Amino acid sequence: MRLYAPDIFTDFICSGSDCKDNCCTVGWDIEIDDKTLAFYKSLDSDLGKRLVSNIYEEDGCHYMGQEGGCPFMNENGLCSVQLEYGEEHISDICREHPRFYEWFGDYKEAGVGLSCEKAAQMLVEHPAPILFTERQTDEEPDDLEFDEKLLNAVKKLRDRLIEILQNRGFSVKERLGILLCACDDIQQAVDTEDCGRLKQLSGMLSIEGFLLEIVNEAECDKSVKKSEAYESILEIFMQMEYIRPELKENFSYAKENLDGILSSEKRFDKSYGDDRFELEHIAVYFIFRYLIKAVRDFDIEGRIYSALICTVMIRLLFMAEFHKNGRLPEKEIRALLIKEFSKEIEYSAENMEMLYGFIYEDGTLFDSLKTIIFGED
C-alpha cells in the first residue's frame, strides 16, 4: 500500500490526559466496529458487561452512547478499557481519532483532523508550507470501486490547487480567489468525467501569468456590500446546532458587530502579518481532505466552496476577537477557535449538510465570496 500524508500526520502524537478538551468528553456517540463488539461480548467481567450495556444498534451499526462524555474514562482522563485490555481492544475510531483515511485500491491517504486540540496547535505553530510525502506500508489493497483515470486527474488537480494556496507570492485572499474563479470550469470537467480537460486545467493553473490574469481581472459586483456578503453566510452558521454555546456566541458577536469588525480589517491584517500562514494551512487542510472524495461523488464545486467558506469564516472569528479586545488574539486562542470550528461544524454531519445545502441553493454565493475575497476593505 502507498500511503500519502502531510508532515503533520507523521508528527502527531495524542496528548492524552494533558488535553484540555479531551475528545472522550465531547459527547459524540462512538461507532463500535464488529471485531471490537465481538471482543466486548466475549468478556465475562463487570467492565465487559458495562461495555455491552452501553452499546446500541442503529441502521445496522453499533454505537456507544456517551452523553456527557465517555463513561469509561477514569478520573485521570484515561481510557479504562485500554488500561485493562490494551489499545488493540478499543474501537477503531477511538484508536485512530483524529486521524482520517481514504482508500483507493493500493493507494491510501491520511491526515489529522482539526477538531483535535493538539492538531490545531500544531497547525498554528507550523510556519512553513505543509509538505506531503508518500511511503510504502504493509497493508492489503481495498476492493472499493473507483475510476483510476479520474483519481489520477483529481489528484493532479488537487496538487495544483494546493500549490496555489501555498504560493506566497500572492496574498492569502488572492489565492482563495483563484480557486473560486477556477471552480466552475473544474466542476464542468468533472461532470463529464473529462480527465483530459482536468489535466489541461491543471496545466493552466501552473502558469504564473495565468494566475496573475485571474487576480487582475477579478471584479466584484459593486451592488453587493461586503457586510451583506458576510451576513448571508453568517445566517447559515447561526441556524446550525452546536454542542456547546461558545462558537455560536462568537458568530453572534460577529454578526452584531460586523460593520465595526470590517472597519478594522486593514488594522487586523497588518497585525496578523507573518502569521497568515495559518489561513493557508486551513485552506490546504480542507482541500486535501475533501477534494479527493469527488472521485466517487463528482462534487468538486461543493468541496472548493466549503473550503473557501470555512477559511473566510475562521478568519472572521479572528477578526471579531481583534475587534473585541483591540489586539490580535494569541496563538492559543486562534488554535482554540480553529479546533472549535472544526469540532462544531466540520465534524457535525448535520451542520455540514446544512452548509452544502446553502452552497447548492444560494445563487448569489459566488458573488458573495468574490466580494469577501476581492472587495474593498
Side-chain angles (χ1 to χ4, degrees), residues 249-353:
E249 290 170 357
N250 288 339
F251 282 128
S252 180
Y253 177 87
K255 191 171 187 292
E256 292 169 3
N257 297 274
L258 195 53
D259 288 339
I261 290 169
L262 294 180
S263 69
S264 63
E265 186 171 7
K266 288 183 178 178
R267 288 188 288 112
F268 166 79
D269 281 336
K270 185 177 180 180
S271 178
Y272 201 17
D274 294 338
D275 288 338
R276 293 182 205 177
F277 67 81
E278 297 167 358
L279 300 175
E280 169 192 309
H281 291 342
I282 291 165
V284 166
Y285 164 80
F286 281 105
I287 291 296
F288 169 71
R289 179 168 188 176
Y290 294 104
L291 200 74
I292 202 71
K293 295 178 183 292
V295 173
R296 290 196 167 97
D297 66 15
F298 305 100
D299 182 15
I300 280 212
E301 186 174 48
R303 278 22 184 288
I304 292 178
Y305 269 76
S306 62
L308 298 177
I309 290 171
C310 290
T311 304
V312 299
M313 294 308 287
I314 290 173
R315 178 177 179 268
L316 181 63
L317 292 172
F318 292 173
M319 289 167 55
E321 287 294 310
F322 178 85
H323 176 265
K324 185 189 301 182
N325 300 307
R327 65 181 184 277
L328 185 71
E330 300 292 333
K331 275 188 179 291
E332 292 79 7
I333 300 299
R334 300 200 299 271
L336 174 65
L337 289 169
I338 293 167
K339 182 262 299 179
E340 284 296 303
F341 184 97
S342 175
K343 183 174 72 176
E344 295 278 13
I345 310 299
E346 179 197 358
Y347 275 71
S348 166
E350 293 80 7
N351 286 344
M352 287 305 295
E353 184 178 350

Side-chain angles (χ1 to χ4, degrees), residues 1-6 9 99-104 106-111 132-134 151 154-155 158-159 287-293:
M1 180 78 75
R2 294 173 294 135
L3 176 65
Y4 187 71
F9 174 81
R99 302 168 187 86
F100 59 84
Y101 302 93
E102 290 286 344
W103 289 266
F104 297 91
D106 64 353
Y107 175 75
K108 179 180 178 180
E109 293 192 344
F132 295 84
T133 58
E134 185 172 298
L151 171 65
V154 170
K155 279 173 58 184
R158 186 188 61 181
D159 289 345
I287 291 296
F288 169 71
R289 179 168 188 176
Y290 294 104
L291 200 74
I292 202 71
K293 295 178 183 292

